[in-house]
Amino acid sequence: MRIAIAALVGVLLASGASFGVVQMANASQQDPVIEPLYNYGTK
């Protein structure tokens, strides 16, 4: 039973961490600071 609980907790932590990374990635794409860094490679 402890193994099942540990597996469930691990899945919840992994899904929460992946959701947080996706949210941070979406927020960074909306950040205008990224644009000068992206345009720097085209010079």
Side-chain angles (χ1 to χ4, degrees):
M1 189 63 184
R2 288 182 180 179
I3 296 174
I5 293 173
L8 183 62
V9 170
V11 169
L12 290 175
L13 287 175
S15 62
S18 64
F19 178 75
V21 169
V22 169
Q23 293 292 69
M24 285 173 35
N26 288 337
S28 68
Q29 287 177 359
Q30 295 172 359
D31 195 355
V33 177
I34 300 297
E35 291 181 5
L37 296 175
Y38 180 77
N39 291 333
Y40 181 77
T42 60
K43 291 184 179 180

